[in-house]
């Protein structure tokens, strides 16, 4: 059944002039392939082939058999990388990017709406076998809660791109872009080693926009710099009752 699904999806994708990879940019990662808008509510899966065409992801939306929710996005991997079935949850805003050497990929996905909260999975060979690792909690620990909020809220965690020829990746921690926390919509970037689950280095927003500019999706490129230059200009008024208007 799985092989028939793959064959069907390949026929569909070839009719689109490629391997089912929409010619659009990702929301957080400029080079990522958007999945959600192509598969949400549709019985038709899409295939995202690895750069060397020796592995592929079959991405599909389903409304039954999900791990935690009534609806979910699932990824089935097969080929040289190995076989893996990964339920990424509701899958809103999901986007995927293969590593240049085809030996890993990451997927960013929201468990809520289009604004978040976003989580990040990395799929690759860890401890000698193909696995999907959730990087989200590790970034929560690193980012913490640096701003005053109406209620405690963790950042959106999203993949930006791959770091050189390594299997390290650049990850964004974005203050969820709605009026709950001060400086909402700003972010920091982290270079992460998913094999060791460690953060190698961090970049502030200015550094990330300078050093990672070609990798950044629209959401990060448009992050408000004035909030970094003058934080009080991006206070949410209800978070600061001590500041009274003149």
């Amino acid at each position: 059944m799985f092989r028939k699904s793959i064959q069907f999806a390949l026929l569909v994708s070839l009719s689109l002039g490629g391997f089912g990879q929409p010619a659009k940019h990702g929301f957080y990662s400029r080079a990522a392939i958007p999945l959600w808008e192509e598969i949400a509510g549709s019985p038709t899966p899409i295939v995202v082939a690895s750069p060397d065409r020796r592995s592929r992801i079959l991405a599909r939306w389903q409304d039954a058999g999900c791990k935690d929710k009534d609806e979910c996005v699932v990824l089935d991997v097969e080929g040289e990388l190995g076989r893996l079935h990964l339920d990424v949850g509701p899958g809103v805003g999901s986007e995927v990017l293969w590593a240049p050497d085809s030996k890993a990929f990451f997927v960013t996905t929201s468990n809520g709406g289009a604004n978040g909260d976003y989580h990040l999975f990395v799929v690759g060979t860890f401890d000698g076998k193909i696995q999907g690792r959730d990087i989200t909690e590790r970034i929560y620990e690193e980012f913490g809660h640096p701003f005053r909020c109406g209620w405690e809220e963790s950042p959106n965690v999203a993949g930006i791109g791959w770091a050189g020829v390594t299997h390290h990746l650049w990850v964004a921690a974005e203050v969820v872009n709605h009026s709950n926390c001060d400086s909402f919509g700003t972010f920091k970037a982290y270079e992460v080693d998913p094999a060791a689950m460690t953060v190698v280095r961090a970049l502030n927003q200015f550094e990330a926009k300078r050093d990672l500019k070609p990798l950044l999706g629209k959401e990060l490129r448009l992050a408000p710099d004035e909030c970094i230059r003058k934080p009080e200009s991006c206070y949410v008024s209800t978070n600061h009752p001590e500041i009274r208007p003149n």
Side-chain angles (χ1 to χ4, degrees):
M1 177 63 71
F2 181 78
R3 186 168 298 278
K4 288 182 178 178
S5 297
I6 285 283
Q7 291 171 342
F8 173 72
L10 281 169
L11 287 173
V12 171
S13 64
L14 286 170
S15 72
L16 297 174
F19 277 82
Q21 301 180 4
K24 297 179 181 179
H25 298 305
F27 188 57
Y28 284 104
S29 169
R30 182 174 175 83
I33 303 299
L35 301 178
W36 176 250
E37 60 193 70
E38 301 295 325
I39 61 176
S42 170
T44 304
I46 64 169
V47 171
V48 183
S50 62
D52 66 5
R53 297 295 191 262
R54 295 179 180 178
S55 302
R56 54 186 175 255
I57 305 160
L58 175 69
R60 69 182 187 276
W61 175 88
Q62 60 185 39
D63 59 0
C66 300
K67 181 173 58 178
D68 297 318
K69 304 286 184 179
D70 294 335
E71 301 174 354
C72 59
V73 168
V74 296
L75 309 179
D76 285 296
V77 186
E78 74 163 23
E80 191 170 278
L81 181 60
R83 286 182 176 270
L84 182 72
H85 176 81
L86 183 65
D87 179 339
V88 300
V92 177
S94 50
E95 58 188 43
V96 65
L97 182 63
W98 280 97
D101 66 0
S102 302
K103 293 182 179 179
F105 67 86
F106 66 71
V107 56
T108 299
T109 181
S110 172
N111 285 343
N115 206 40
D117 60 328
Y118 282 87
H119 293 246
L120 178 64
F121 297 90
V122 180
V123 174
T125 302
F126 306 113
D127 301 325
K129 63 179 180 179
I130 185 173
Q131 297 180 35
R133 289 191 168 182
D134 190 339
I135 304 296
T136 312
E137 290 289 341
R138 181 66 189 86
I139 300 302
Y140 286 170
E141 294 171 6
E142 198 72 24
F143 188 74
H145 296 279
F147 301 106
R148 192 179 295 188
C149 302
W151 62 88
E152 188 172 287
E153 185 173 52
S154 296
N156 283 329
V157 178
I160 297 173
W162 296 93
V165 296
T166 70
H167 284 153
H168 293 188
L169 66 152
W170 285 106
V171 179
E174 178 201 36
V175 183
V176 180
N177 202 359
H178 61 178
S179 55
N180 175 42
C181 297
D182 294 344
S183 295
F184 58 88
T186 62
F187 73 99
K188 290 185 72 173
Y190 300 96
E191 182 183 345
V192 176
D193 177 354
M197 292 293 283
T198 57
V199 172
V200 177
R201 58 176 169 151
L203 301 178
N204 63 36
Q205 183 168 300
F206 292 136
E207 293 168 333
K209 286 190 174 185
R210 180 194 67 205
D211 297 349
L212 307 179
K213 183 177 180 180
L215 306 179
L216 301 179
K218 183 178 181 180
E219 176 73 357
L220 301 179
R221 294 198 308 274
L222 297 180
D225 290 337
E226 185 61 23
C227 297
I228 310 299
R229 296 189 183 99
K230 190 178 180 182
E232 61 271 22
S233 70
C234 294
Y235 282 172
V236 175
S237 60
T238 53
N239 293 339
H240 297 271
E242 73 280 6
I243 300 177
R244 299 182 181 278
N246 295 327

